[in-house]
Amino acid sequence: MQMSNTQNSDRFRQIVADVPFIAILRGVCPDEVVAVAQSIRDAGIRIIEVPLNSPDPFTSIAKLSAHFGSDTIIGAGTVLDPADVARCREAGAQIIVSPNMNAAVVKATISSGMISAPGCFTPSEAFAALDAGAHAIKLFPGEMISAAGVKAIRAVLPKDAIVLVVGGVSSETVGQYREAGADGFGIGGAVYRAGYSPEIAGKNAARFVDALRGTA
């Protein structure tokens, strides 16, 4: 049964507060997606994203949605067209992530009862996203935003806004961004690249979880 927008939002906030990572499986294929995602989930990461520029992404999203229970959120990434939002929902996605701020995508996501996390780089884009109804701000690309920059942007946003740093984040820098006010992180190539085995992806994911918990 599809959850309501409020239920999805509350669950998303709780999961981010618990383990603040979204694992981005760019390039994953449907025949391997469940095994890779399960390995990452076993490491503790409970939000899994399949970008739409991956091979047959809707099939992968559908497989993950059927495999995992309510303790894991399945998302679609690199969503650029509002028309794709409905397809993502039909496949079972619960969060829509984009590299850009497109109000039409945000509004389509909200009306479909899903979590919206558009990409933003400036305070102006972040406030526009929140005004459109976004549940989280994806600061992207993270490679171009220092911890000091995150702190400055975080200072002007509403205190309850969820800020995710995505792109270029490593297990060595998550602590710095966290101290600067980041609520969570999207991690892609540092956890999974096309061709990685489930074992490699799981070990990479565990390294991030351990680093944040101070056990690395």
Side-chain angles (χ1 to χ4, degrees):
M1 179 181 294
Q2 193 82 17
M3 289 189 176
S4 70
N5 195 282
T6 299
Q7 289 173 315
N8 269 331
S9 178
D10 290 345
R11 187 163 61 107
F12 176 68
R13 282 184 173 276
Q14 182 57 52
I15 289 176
V16 169
D18 182 28
V19 183
F21 295 111
I22 299 175
I24 303 167
L25 307 186
R26 190 177 307 280
V28 73
C29 295
D31 62 353
E32 63 183 342
V33 68
V34 170
V36 170
Q38 185 63 62
S39 182
I40 291 170
R41 176 64 185 85
D42 290 344
I45 295 178
R46 298 163 58 194
I47 307 177
I48 311 290
E49 171 195 326
V50 177
L52 294 192
N53 56 1
S54 301
D56 199 0
F58 298 105
T59 297
S60 289
I61 292 169
K63 284 191 171 187
L64 293 181
S65 179
H67 178 77
F68 290 100
S70 60
D71 66 339
T72 303
I73 291 178
I74 306 304
T78 318
V79 181
L80 306 175
D81 190 335
D84 283 329
V85 173
R87 292 189 67 191
C88 293
R89 184 180 187 276
E90 290 169 3
Q94 297 144 350
I95 178 171
I96 297 293
V97 185
S98 303
N100 63 327
M101 167 44 203
N102 182 331
V105 171
V106 174
K107 292 176 181 178
T109 301
I110 301 302
S111 65
S112 295
M114 293 184 289
I115 301 301
S116 171
C120 303
F121 190 72
T122 66
S124 294
E125 290 178 336
F127 277 108
L130 294 174
D131 286 345
H135 298 89
I137 300 300
K138 169 186 171 179
L139 289 182
F140 176 80
E143 295 95 332
M144 297 176 65
I145 305 176
S146 65
V150 171
K151 183 176 181 179
I153 294 174
R154 170 82 269 184
V156 299
L157 294 178
K159 294 186 182 300
D160 63 346
I162 296 176
V163 175
L164 309 171
V165 178
V166 182
V169 177
S170 70
S171 57
E172 289 77 26
T173 60
V174 290
Q176 301 168 23
Y177 282 117
R178 191 77 158 161
E179 290 178 6
D183 297 293
F185 308 90
I187 46 177
V191 168
Y192 175 82
R193 294 180 186 272
Y196 277 12
S197 68
E199 292 75 19
I200 290 174
K203 288 179 180 178
N204 290 340
R207 186 163 57 248
F208 275 90
V209 174
D210 290 344
L212 198 63
R213 290 174 175 169
T215 61

